[in-house]
Amino acid sequence: MKYINKFIPAAAMLLALGMSSCTGDLDVTPINPNLALEYSPEGLFNKCYANIALAGNGGADGDCDIDGLDGGTTGFIRQMWNSNELTTDEAICSWGDDGISQFCYNTYGSSHPMLNGYFNRLTTGISYCNQYLNVASDHDATMTAEIRFVRALHYYLLMDAFGNIPFSTTLGTPVRMTRQEAFDWIESELLDIESQLSPAKAKKSTDAGYGRVDQAADWMLLMRLYLNAEVYTGTAQWQKAADYAKKVMDSDYRLNTNGVNGWTPYQMLFMGDNGETDAAYEAVFPILCDGKTTTSYGTSLFLMASTFDGDMHANPSDPIATNGTDANWGGNRARAELIEQFFPNGDAPQVAAYDMKDAAGDDRALFDGIGRQVDNPTGYDGVFKDGYAVAKFVNFKTDGSVGHDPKFPDADFFFFRVAEAYLTYAEATARLNGGSTTAEGTNAINALRARAHNADTKQVYSLNNILDEWQKEFYFEGRRRVDLIRFGKFGGNSDYIWSWKGGVKNGRNFDATKNIFAIPAAAVDEVLIQNPGY
């Protein structure tokens, strides 16, 4: 599929633009009520997917669907990443953008501009889906099921971040849903559409349907919903999480285990040709990026440019190139706790990114340490070299070339990948087994370690070991906050303190009310109520 907006008919674009919302209330109308609207089902279908990848109808340098906010800043993946990474033990940022310090120090509130952007990006995306389902639901049964999934995904992220949420399946005024009610609706919706989605089939970008959700994506979202059910509803559902994880593990999708031209299997998941190599077979739901046709400052480019400066070199065969693009913004870098996962003895070397994995004995250690220190002595407002840099996302291709545009990358973002099912299965079955992995759960974790050429495998893993494995496998992919909350390591009286947690160098606990973000002040009305503690 393609997101590029030149393939959306003009009338469909006008209708889609008319659904933009600056308040996220889902109560929206077309730009011109006197316009005799014609629409293309395919155009509206594209728009529902495109909200995840693009800022608006004009690509990176065009309009933004979120009124009054910068298109690059409000990117779906960028804001999901900011809220789930900068608030944790993984990432800290040296930029002075309004809202960055509040994320890094866990002091966010109802006036936080980036949470406002995230809230509005999600609610606007829901409006696009509602529009398609209201006018084109009888066009194609599979397409309708896919858009119901995309809407459920938006509702899931909204519920995860904000707790009580605005809800509507039309373009009318929404009602308030509690977290429990939202959980129940999302579960019911995903179960209902499963049989209507395409069968689970691994694909490359050259295959029809690449980038579109199928049954495996449905299983993945159900799996994630059930894994966090105790947080969302107070009732654990570990067995269901394990069951759906196993369905993904047994499906046509699979871990990428074969490296190419010196690039490791793990690195290939985050490279410029990850949609064209066998890495694509691990991507259950890739968000498409192309340097010419689907350009954005808020997806793969953000993950590359924000983590690199011009002194970094991630390709051993090209000592001049940095990340495969010409963008090196130098803002986001690792907190000490992330580096210590790979170097628990405090012996992380000051070497280039392509040498770090060998020093760590783990292919997943994609960090640059040249001229850097592990510590972040001055916090968010320090310099980029206070802290090791993360060189995980690059636009190099396995054949040695780079993307076909120097500004925007070709690397897709793998929203769901099979490795998540492996760790979900290990964790869920361990929780059912008194806190230690079963033989099958141990094998699942060891499969990921073997893929990373980490010889330090275990016979059994504790829950704390599993939380460590979540970090080693998925750092900087936009999910750490959710994992810490599930393990009781985020807000509240936690036994886990990281550097600059709560805004002080040695870290301190903050209130458990911060486990849910504040509803943006502009969205609190007769429908929504503010979350406790804000």
Side-chain angles (χ1 to χ4, degrees), residues 228-270:
N228 294 287
E230 189 170 30
V231 173
Y232 300 145
T233 70
T235 301
Q237 299 204 40
W238 309 121
Q239 188 60 59
K240 289 183 179 179
D243 291 344
Y244 278 96
K246 194 66 166 60
K247 287 170 76 73
V248 176
M249 294 165 68
D250 292 341
S251 75
D252 189 60
Y253 290 92
R254 55 194 179 273
L255 295 176
N256 184 45
T257 57
N258 295 314
V260 174
N261 294 333
W263 297 99
T264 70
Y266 186 76
Q267 286 175 302
M268 291 170 63
L269 301 169
F270 314 103

Side-chain angles (χ1 to χ4, degrees), residues 220 223 241-242 244-246 248-251 253-257 282 417-429 437 440-449 451 466 470 473-474:
M220 290 286 280
M223 176 191 80
Y244 278 96
K246 194 66 166 60
V248 176
M249 294 165 68
D250 292 341
S251 75
Y253 290 92
R254 55 194 179 273
L255 295 176
N256 184 45
T257 57
E282 186 168 333
R417 55 186 183 89
V418 172
E420 181 177 345
Y422 278 65
L423 283 173
T424 297
Y425 183 82
E427 180 186 334
T429 52
T437 49
E440 294 81 3
T442 295
N443 289 339
I445 293 177
N446 285 340
L448 298 180
R449 286 191 166 218
R451 189 257 291 275
I466 295 170
W470 275 114
E473 181 69 26
F474 282 98

Side-chain angles (χ1 to χ4, degrees), residues 11 56 76 100-101 104 146 164 166 185 187 216 234 249 254 261 302 334 342 376 420 441 461 463 482 490 494 501:
F76 185 108
I100 291 289
S101 65
C104 293
E146 289 180 45
N164 83 103
W185 182 87
E187 177 188 29
M249 294 165 68
R254 55 194 179 273
N261 294 333
F302 168 73
F342 294 93
N376 295 279
E420 181 177 345
Y461 293 86
L463 287 176
V482 180
F490 195 69
S494 169
K501 181 181 183 181

Side-chain angles (χ1 to χ4, degrees), residues 56 66 69 86 101 134 183 245 298 372 386 399 411 454 477:
I66 311 300
L69 295 170
L86 293 179
S101 65
N134 273 254
F183 180 98
R372 299 177 177 277
D386 287 344
D399 64 1
N454 185 325
E477 292 185 51

Side-chain angles (χ1 to χ4, degrees), residues 519-530:
I519 302 291
V524 177
D525 54 19
E526 65 275 9
V527 174
L528 285 183
I529 60 174
Q530 188 55 270

Side-chain angles (χ1 to χ4, degrees), residues 54-75:
L54 306 175
N57 286 320
D61 296 312
D63 62 282
C64 175
D65 288 344
I66 311 300
D67 293 341
L69 295 170
D70 173 72
T73 301
T74 63

